[in-house]
Amino acid sequence: MSSGTESDVSPDVWDGEIEREIGHDEYDPIGTLGLIAIYFVIIALLWIFMYFVEFLGRGPTVV
Amino acid sequence: MGLFVDDYPDEAWVVRAALASSFLALLIGGLMGTIQALHRTGFLQVIENSTYYTVLTLHGVSLVILFTIFFLVGFYQWAITDSLQRPSENIRLTKAWYGLMVLGTLMASIAILGGFTDVTDMSADVLFTFYAPLEAHPLFYLGLATFIIGTWVAGFDWFRSWWAWRKDNPGERTPLRTFMVLTTMLMWYLATIGVAVAVIFFLLPWSLGLVDSVNALLTRTLFWFFGHPVVYFWLMPVYMMWYVILPKLSGGRLFSDPLARIVFVLFLILSVPTGIHHQYLDPGIAEGFKYLAMTNTMFLLLPSLLTAFTVVASMEHGARQRGGTGYFRWLTALPWDKPAFTGMALAGLMFAAAGFSGMVNAGMNLNYLVHNTMWVPGHFHLTVGTAVALTFMAVTYWFLPQITGNKVFSKRLGLWQVVLWFVGMVFMANAMHRVGLGGEPRRTADPFYDGVVFDTALGSISELHFQIALGGVLLTVSLLMFIAHVALTWFDVANRSTPEPEVLPPALSGPEHAPAVLENLRLWTGIAIVLIVLTYTLPLASIISSSGFFGQAGTIVAGMLDLVITVAQPLLEVGP
Amino acid sequence: MEIHRYEKLWFVVSMLLIIGFIATITYGAVGAGIQMVDDEGGTVDPDNIGDYEIRDGVTFEDLQEPQAQHVEGNEYEVAIQAIQFAFIPNPVEVPENSEVTMYITSPDVIHGYKLAGTNVNTMVIPGEMTEITVEFDEPGEYGAVCNEFCGAGHEEMEGILRVVPEDEWEGDA
Ligand code: HEM
Ligand SMILES: [Cu+2]
Ligand SMILES: [Cu+2]
């Protein structure tokens, strides 16, 4: 047997601070989805700003 | 199962030695950074402008070659030994590769340090990219080659452990950490071909006077063949920490083991065929090749974007298991009092910001705006200077007890240290980006010109320079705190009780859900090689066929090789 | 393999983001007509830069003058040598409303050439001829810096490019 993420040691070895065990199927990372959606919006807007305002908006440029 | 240091004392010795080397490099390199930040903003110029470049070479080499790679080999040795649950097949070999890396480091360092004194005319003021025809003392190139050979042997050592493990455990899935180590090293073998060829066939013979010129574009292209994937060599251990250790620290479990493996396979496949994105503004390379490198680079965003999701989801899982609720309120249930957690989370946040400036760098024509301006150091102080460096420092607070058997000196000190690094970097990197947009060049001792002014939006250039200097000072304080903290723990000044062994929890969706084909490392390496051949054969052929191996001002040797090329011309002309 | 549906969603969104980036850049290249520095300039013997043939009968040396040379219409040409630690000639003058092809190369080590505050930015590599075309629509003065480390003295390496109003232009037209 090997230790690490791969092992099937019993949960109480690592779950010192855990109040409630949540399995894969009962878990929806809704907060993560929200955070990552915000990130997406920021990135997309910044990209448009950098490309069309900062870059194309200034000259001269190599053509 | 006990502490790593008790179970594997010999391996722990090598891990500790590698980490000590890494931290020494961090200290030296970091102090050079302080000098730079104050010098180039004009606040404190204690050195000559010409010495600035020796300092900058030392900064670059110490931090992105020595600090990162010594940390990597130490950490990976632990990962292999601990996840396969077996000692080194031959500890003498393990010590030997560490020894080789140290030897190489000493050689290169002597050459660089020679630049500080007039006693010898030895020097290597060529920065960490050593673009020819800037020339370093041969010892610099030799040292570099020796160091890299050391890492190759390390990889071999780890493969050997895996082969032996497989024999004893037929049919079992490779443990996740081992899988990550192996894919990283396969990527590294492919990546280092470029720099090995550049150093062994061109730069070393040239610096020894055996040939009298080099093809500047060729050696530069070979450097970047290596120079981009080396970025992933810094990053892949960090990803391992984010995938394997961060969920545990958050009180949860890795969301998906198969996805983690897919991400590492994507890195193996896509890291090398992107190097030309550092050469978007180089003459001598056709636009088509640049476009191809750009698309590859953009797709290389994918594994990082996927990682962002999985890692945050694993943290959220931990937070919810610890009682967190709500859409975002669970964030407060995370263990922000643990320096290892907080440091890694802040590093991840910085990496998200770095993702943005990286996308801009990758933007081919958009690169006209930022290429070789301060924007670029602004970007990579977020990536390697924070996402990597801060994660390494944070993980040290978790890792050091495992390999020394001593508890960390003070949680609170650790917490202040990681937060200070983050704050320092917010100031320094943000201001660097902005002066860069104003056009201020990087790698310049004293960017104050007679006839050039840099216009910056929102804030004057001198305000931004102040922020760079301030950030630099905060970073220095944080750095010194870190080094002191490591020393206090290492020598167990507080004389604390022995730490508990750490057990890493299994993933929520385990390796048994991964398709078996993921284990087929030959297949992935094969695909990586095909992609490299597709992206690099034509550009290299066209560079060599137009200027020869050793440039236009060729020698007799070069002349002979040119002859070979002329004969082979029809084959190469299939190209553009 | 179990992949959570949010993760699948993020995968799709990530792909869209990547394709969006590639599309923007392609638009910049094709729609806005921004060309990359490429291999058009070919190679050059770093020991004999002056002899490099720009086209029949015109050499690098002929164009290495403080004022851009007229070709036809609004097209001009100028050649600049980047050398430790100066740009030669300096300053360089071009007329307003011109389309200037710049030939830049180096006899010694790698340099850079960037006009501060603009998108004119290129590497200068010994053995390679950088050939870029730039439209200068308005009069003004731009500072040029070398933005690649080229040896002790690199921080001194600067130049000026002046865009002269049409009625003050004294070069050939
Ligand atoms: C005390 C903390 C640090 C300070 C104050 C600092 C400061 C600086 C400054 C001001 C520059 C720009 C020099 C120039 O282009 O003229 C620079 C360059 C650089 N820094 Fe840092 N830095 C720090 C930490 C780091 C860390 C932790 C890393 C990586 C792990 C790093 C990697 C680099 C690299 C690769 C360069 C570019 C070198 C080159 O252009 O050849 N720095 N640093
Ligand atoms: Cu890169
Ligand atoms: Cu320079």
Side-chain angles (χ1 to χ4, degrees):
Chain A
M1 191 204 75
S2 57
S3 86
T5 14
E6 309 76 25
S7 69
D8 12 63
V9 271
S10 103
D12 26 288
V13 193
W14 71 79
D15 74 347
E17 301 168 2
I18 293 171
E19 291 179 10
R20 184 166 63 99
E21 182 81 19
I22 304 174
H24 188 270
D25 296 333
E26 45 175 330
Y27 170 50
D28 275 333
I30 185 75
T32 302
L33 188 67
L35 289 175
I36 211 119
I38 296 171
Y39 180 62
F40 173 82
V41 171
I42 295 177
I43 288 285
L45 291 179
L46 278 175
W47 170 262
I48 291 169
F49 174 75
M50 284 301 294
Y51 203 94
F52 294 96
V53 182
E54 282 283 355
F55 176 52
L56 292 185
R58 83 167 74 191
T61 295
V62 176
V63 291
Chain B
M1 203 182 57
L3 275 181
F4 185 78
V5 56
D6 300 327
D7 291 355
Y8 307 101
D10 292 335
E11 288 74 10
W13 184 89
V14 177
V15 176
R16 280 200 305 274
L19 257 61
S21 316
S22 165
F23 296 149
L24 183 63
L26 176 64
L27 177 64
I28 294 172
L31 292 177
M32 297 303 116
T34 317
I35 296 176
Q36 291 154 212
L38 296 173
H39 189 100
R40 65 167 291 148
T41 52
F43 283 93
L44 180 68
Q45 303 196 324
V46 290
I47 50 169
E48 297 287 317
N49 280 345
S50 60
T51 310
Y52 182 89
Y53 304 106
T54 314
V55 167
L56 188 55
T57 306
L58 193 55
H59 183 71
V61 172
S62 301
L63 290 169
V64 296
I65 307 287
L66 304 178
F67 160 60
T68 46
I69 298 182
F70 270 119
F71 199 101
L72 175 143
V73 294
F75 187 74
Y76 272 12
Q77 181 61 50
W78 165 81
I80 281 282
T81 308
D82 195 56
S83 71
L84 296 178
Q85 293 277 293
R86 63 189 300 138
S88 259
E89 296 312 299
N90 179 352
I91 192 72
R92 294 225 308 272
L93 181 71
T94 308
K95 289 187 175 165
W97 57 249
Y98 171 68
L100 264 180
M101 290 173 67
V102 171
L103 181 68
T105 303
L106 291 177
M107 286 156 66
S109 307
I110 290 170
I112 296 172
L113 293 175
F116 284 116
T117 129
D118 293 331
V119 181
T120 124
D121 55 4
M122 179 189 281
S123 74
D125 298 341
V126 291
L127 309 188
F128 81 99
T129 44
F130 50 91
Y131 295 142
L134 287 174
E135 191 173 357
H137 189 275
L139 203 56
F140 176 79
Y141 304 113
L142 262 177
L144 219 62
T146 311
F147 181 85
I148 289 180
I149 291 169
T151 63
W152 287 350
V153 181
F156 170 72
D157 191 16
W158 300 330
F159 265 96
R160 236 175 112 187
S161 293
W162 178 59
W163 291 324
W165 174 88
R166 242 187 356 183
K167 212 174 258 161
D168 298 346
N169 300 272
E172 265 196 56
R173 285 289 157 91
T174 303
L176 180 59
R177 278 177 288 165
T178 299
F179 185 84
M180 291 171 159
V181 169
L182 301 182
T183 39
T184 310
M185 293 317 290
L186 287 171
M187 186 282 288
W188 182 242
Y189 285 122
L190 296 178
T192 41
I193 295 172
V195 72
V197 170
V199 167
I200 295 168
F201 291 105
F202 301 110
L203 299 175
L204 201 52
W206 168 67
S207 69
L208 289 168
L210 301 178
V211 295
D212 59 24
S213 69
V214 283
N215 179 337
L217 181 59
L218 176 60
T219 45
R220 181 176 157 85
T221 306
L222 289 170
F223 177 83
W224 284 117
F225 180 103
F226 154 83
H228 186 75
V230 74
V231 166
Y232 291 94
F233 201 52
W234 310 326
L235 217 47
M236 286 159 85
V238 170
Y239 278 36
M240 185 197 289
M241 294 164 195
W242 289 352
Y243 275 118
V244 178
I245 299 173
L246 188 58
K248 179 208 157 87
L249 293 173
S250 327
R253 293 158 63 178
L254 172 59
F255 194 47
S256 164
D257 169 299
L259 206 69
R261 291 177 198 245
I262 291 178
V263 163
F264 273 67
V265 166
L266 284 173
F267 281 134
L268 165 59
I269 294 176
L270 282 173
S271 289
V272 184
T274 52
I276 289 180
H277 69 210
H278 292 263
Q279 300 179 279
Y280 284 148
L281 302 194
D282 281 14
I285 300 179
E287 180 156 3
F289 301 140
K290 297 178 177 177
Y291 190 84
L292 185 61
M294 182 274 290
T295 49
N296 284 345
T297 306
M298 288 300 179
F299 281 105
L300 192 50
L301 279 174
L302 192 63
S304 289
L305 291 171
L306 295 180
T307 297
F309 188 95
T310 316
V311 170
V312 178
S314 310
M315 282 163 54
E316 181 180 352
H317 179 252
R320 294 201 187 279
Q321 291 204 132
R322 292 160 57 95
T325 52
Y327 269 105
F328 298 124
R329 216 163 355 111
W330 54 270
L331 283 166
T332 58
L334 288 166
W336 296 105
D337 59 329
K338 284 187 197 158
F341 172 82
T342 304
M344 285 167 89
L346 292 177
L349 187 61
M350 278 298 210
F351 196 55
F356 163 67
S357 53
M359 291 159 193
V360 171
N361 296 339
M364 198 169 81
N365 33 41
L366 186 46
N367 199 244
Y368 278 123
L369 180 64
V370 294
H371 181 75
N372 272 354
T373 67
M374 279 302 274
W375 169 282
V376 177
H379 163 71
F380 60 64
H381 280 89
L382 295 180
T383 56
V384 68
T386 304
V388 175
L390 185 55
T391 299
F392 282 3
M393 290 190 271
V395 99
T396 301
Y397 294 121
W398 177 85
F399 191 45
L400 218 45
Q402 314 296 314
I403 56 161
T404 59
N406 306 329
K407 269 196 176 160
V408 162
F409 179 74
S410 154
K411 237 178 165 174
R412 172 136 358 122
L413 182 63
L415 207 53
W416 277 104
Q417 188 267 320
V418 294
V419 171
L420 202 57
W421 187 275
F422 180 81
V423 175
M425 207 49 103
V426 167
F427 278 109
M428 188 172 90
N430 174 51
M432 281 174 159
H433 278 99
R434 288 176 47 203
V435 295
L437 278 182
E440 186 177 310
R442 65 184 284 204
R443 298 184 148 179
T444 302
D446 201 24
F448 301 91
Y449 297 88
D450 300 329
V452 189
V453 281
F454 304 113
D455 288 323
T456 48
L458 303 168
S460 69
I461 191 117
S462 50
E463 280 161 18
L464 293 172
H465 278 159
F466 174 74
Q467 290 180 27
I468 292 176
L470 174 69
V473 170
L474 296 179
L475 286 165
T476 311
V477 174
S478 171
L479 170 71
L480 295 175
M481 280 163 73
F482 175 73
I483 297 290
H485 204 166
V486 168
L488 289 170
T489 306
W490 200 292
F491 301 108
D492 200 16
V493 175
N495 222 335
R496 304 277 211 70
S497 57
T498 320
E500 293 289 316
E502 297 272 355
V503 177
L504 297 167
L508 280 174
S509 166
E512 63 282 2
H513 299 296
V517 64
L518 274 181
E519 290 271 311
N520 192 341
L521 294 179
R522 281 210 180 125
L523 172 68
W524 306 122
T525 313
I527 294 179
I529 292 173
V530 169
L531 277 180
I532 293 171
V533 168
L534 285 179
T535 38
Y536 267 105
T537 316
L538 292 180
L540 284 175
S542 112
I543 291 168
I544 295 166
S545 69
S546 46
S547 287
F549 282 102
F550 296 92
Q552 298 246 319
T555 55
I556 299 176
V557 190
M560 271 155 58
L561 279 162
D562 285 343
L563 194 70
V564 176
I565 280 293
T566 325
V567 175
Q569 197 87 353
L571 292 171
L572 301 170
E573 289 292 286
V574 198
Chain C
M1 197 168 77
E2 294 177 48
I3 296 186
H4 193 278
R5 62 182 192 286
Y6 292 170
E7 225 161 2
K8 287 186 191 141
L9 182 65
W10 176 238
F11 176 83
V12 173
V13 172
S14 296
M15 286 305 263
L16 288 177
L17 190 70
I18 289 171
I19 292 166
F21 289 155
I22 296 177
T24 324
I25 293 161
T26 311
Y27 163 76
V30 181
I34 298 167
Q35 279 201 24
M36 299 312 293
V37 186
D38 60 10
D39 56 354
E40 236 177 275
T43 57
V44 46
D45 178 354
D47 295 332
N48 289 301
I49 290 174
D51 294 345
Y52 172 88
E53 266 200 25
I54 304 259
R55 62 189 129 77
D56 264 352
V58 181
T59 62
F60 189 87
E61 201 173 359
D62 298 333
L63 291 183
Q64 220 186 330
E65 297 288 336
Q67 279 170 327
Q69 310 285 303
H70 187 230
V71 188
E72 55 174 33
N74 66 341
E75 289 173 23
Y76 289 76
E77 283 175 337
V78 64
I80 300 172
Q81 209 180 118
I83 185 169
Q84 286 169 325
F85 300 97
F87 296 110
I88 306 171
N90 182 52
V92 170
E93 293 191 341
V94 305
E96 169 190 10
N97 279 323
S98 58
E99 198 178 286
V100 182
T101 301
M102 307 171 80
Y103 295 87
I104 316 175
T105 192
S106 154
D108 44 44
V109 299
I110 298 183
H111 299 272
Y113 182 85
K114 163 139 182 149
L115 295 181
T118 76
N119 299 322
V120 178
N121 189 354
T122 181
M123 298 301 298
V124 182
I125 301 179
E128 307 293 328
M129 180 61 73
T130 296
E131 181 184 335
I132 52 176
T133 302
V134 184
E135 280 171 2
F136 292 100
D137 296 335
E138 275 152 43
E141 186 173 293
Y142 299 103
V145 295
C146 169
N147 63 5
E148 183 54 86
F149 170 64
C150 53
H154 157 65
E155 71 282 349
E156 312 265 301
M157 193 163 161
E158 59 171 306
I160 288 193
L161 187 140
R162 226 171 263 139
V163 186
V164 180
E166 251 156 337
D167 46 353
E168 290 169 30
W169 176 248
E170 288 165 1
D172 68 14

